[in-house]
């Protein structure tokens, strides 16, 4: 189990866009938080900083007490191995089976080629891959090609692939945005259930406020790259949440949103 500590990180892109502005928070090992904000608020940039796909311009990120921001080489690979990511774009290999796609989650521990992974995988890895599919109720479709599965089924396979990493932390970036409401609810229930059972630390970005209300125990919200809410969900009013999305149609992806209404800061 690992905690996450974000120390006043800022991110300014080469074009001058300030995506994050001194964002800081702590999330204890095994805790979960829902990250909210309109398109362009900086949510995706923050998640990318949390697994070092982006380096903050200032500040630092610590995962399990280790400085992720300054990690390089083997140290960074070891840390990333412990951070699972569930994307909005599911990115399964379409012509391979669900089982083969799940095995790719073990790549961080493998030296073999992608195409031969299902052949070279150890008996232990193959058994664990089936276990991961069982966890997401997809074992009966293990041999089915990924491109023949429904969107909800594909996302469940993607979660199984993440579980294959044996991560302590899961970052979920709009995991249900491309799904219909019923499939989205099943995926969220599954993700939260698995994370709770395994004691994982979870940060999940969501747009749907109704879904956020169901699953969020703690809300962290950004507007124009600044943290404006960080509090238990029960202490955040519906008006506070709606203010996050006021005039959201003026926002740009992962950048500043000039003229956006700023809700009153809410903190625990």
């Amino acid at each position: 189990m690992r905690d996450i500590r974000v120390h006043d990180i800022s991110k300014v892109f080469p074009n001058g866009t300030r995506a994050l502005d001194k964002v800081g928070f702590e999330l204890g090992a095994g805790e979960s938080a829902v990250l909210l904000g309109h398109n362009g608020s900086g949510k995706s940039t923050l998640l990318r900083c949390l697994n070092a796909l982006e380096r903050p311009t200032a500040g630092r990120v610590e995962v399990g007490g280790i400085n992720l921001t300054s990690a390089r080489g083997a140290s960074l690979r070891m840390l990333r191995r412990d951070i699972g990511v569930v994307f909005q774009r599911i990115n399964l290999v379409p012509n391979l089976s669900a089982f083969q796609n799940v095995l790719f989650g073990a790549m961080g521990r493998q030296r073999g080629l992608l195409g031969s992974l299902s052949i070279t995988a150890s008996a232990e890895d193959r058994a664990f891959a089936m276990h991961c599919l069982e966890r997401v109720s997809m074992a009966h479709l293990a041999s089915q090609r990924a491109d023949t599965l429904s969107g909800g089924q594909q996302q469940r396979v993607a979660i199984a692939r993440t579980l294959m990493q044996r991560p302590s932390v899961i970052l979920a970036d709009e995991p249900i945005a491309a799904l219909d409401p019923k499939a989205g609810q099943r995926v969220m229930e599954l993700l939260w259930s698995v994370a709770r059972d395994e004691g994982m630390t979870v940060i999940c970005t969501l747009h749907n406020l109704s879904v956020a209300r169901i699953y969020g125990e703690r809300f962290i919200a950004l507007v124009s790259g600044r943290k404006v809410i960080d509090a238990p969900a029960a202490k955040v009013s519906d008006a506070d949440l709606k203010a996050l999305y006021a005039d959201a149609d003026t926002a740009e992806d992962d950048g500043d949103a000039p003229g956006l209404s700023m809700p009153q800061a809410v903190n625990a």
Side-chain angles (χ1 to χ4, degrees), residues 87-226:
F87 297 99
Q88 175 181 343
R89 295 180 180 178
I90 300 169
N91 295 325
L92 298 182
V93 181
N95 63 339
L96 296 184
S97 69
F99 177 75
Q100 289 170 310
N101 272 279
V102 172
L103 276 176
F104 287 150
M107 281 179 54
R109 303 188 303 275
Q110 297 282 345
R111 295 182 179 273
L113 297 174
L114 284 175
S116 63
L117 182 58
S118 62
I119 299 174
T120 62
S122 67
E124 179 184 357
D125 277 347
R126 294 172 69 85
F128 189 64
M130 283 303 300
H131 169 73
C132 292
L133 282 168
E134 289 170 358
R135 290 298 308 273
V136 300
S137 301
M138 288 293 292
H140 65 296
L141 296 176
S143 62
Q144 191 160 322
R145 278 176 51 131
D147 57 3
T148 67
L149 301 173
S150 69
Q153 290 171 334
Q154 289 186 33
Q155 190 62 290
R156 285 152 66 187
V157 171
I159 292 173
R161 180 181 59 191
T162 299
L163 295 178
M164 189 71 192
Q165 292 180 228
R166 295 180 169 91
S168 295
V169 174
I170 287 185
L171 307 177
D173 192 6
E174 297 288 352
I176 63 172
L179 306 179
D180 65 74
K182 184 175 292 186
Q185 183 175 355
R186 285 197 295 264
V187 166
M188 284 299 297
E189 289 175 353
L190 173 67
L191 181 60
W192 246 239
S193 174
V194 168
R196 183 174 58 250
D197 291 347
E198 300 293 333
M200 296 174 180
T201 307
V202 181
I203 296 181
C204 178
T205 67
L206 292 171
H207 266 111
N208 189 308
L209 295 182
S210 297
V211 175
R213 277 295 187 197
I214 294 172
Y215 296 99
E217 297 178 1
R218 174 179 172 185
F219 291 149
I220 299 172
L222 303 178
V223 170
S224 298
R226 285 172 283 173

Side-chain angles (χ1 to χ4, degrees), residues 6-13 16-25 40-43 45-46 49 56-59 221-228 254-257 262:
V6 179
H7 299 272
D8 292 332
I9 63 170
S10 296
K11 177 64 179 181
V12 181
F13 287 103
T17 297
R18 180 175 292 274
L20 297 172
D21 188 1
K22 296 182 179 180
V23 175
F25 61 88
S41 63
K43 302 190 309 297
T45 299
L46 175 57
C49 287
T57 308
L222 303 178
V223 170
S224 298
R226 285 172 283 173
K227 186 185 75 173
V228 296
D254 279 330
D256 289 333
M262 180 73 73

Side-chain angles (χ1 to χ4, degrees), residues 24-46:
F25 61 88
E26 295 184 7
L27 193 62
E31 294 184 353
S32 64
V34 169
L35 182 60
L36 298 169
H38 57 81
N39 289 336
S41 63
K43 302 190 309 297
S44 293
T45 299
L46 175 57

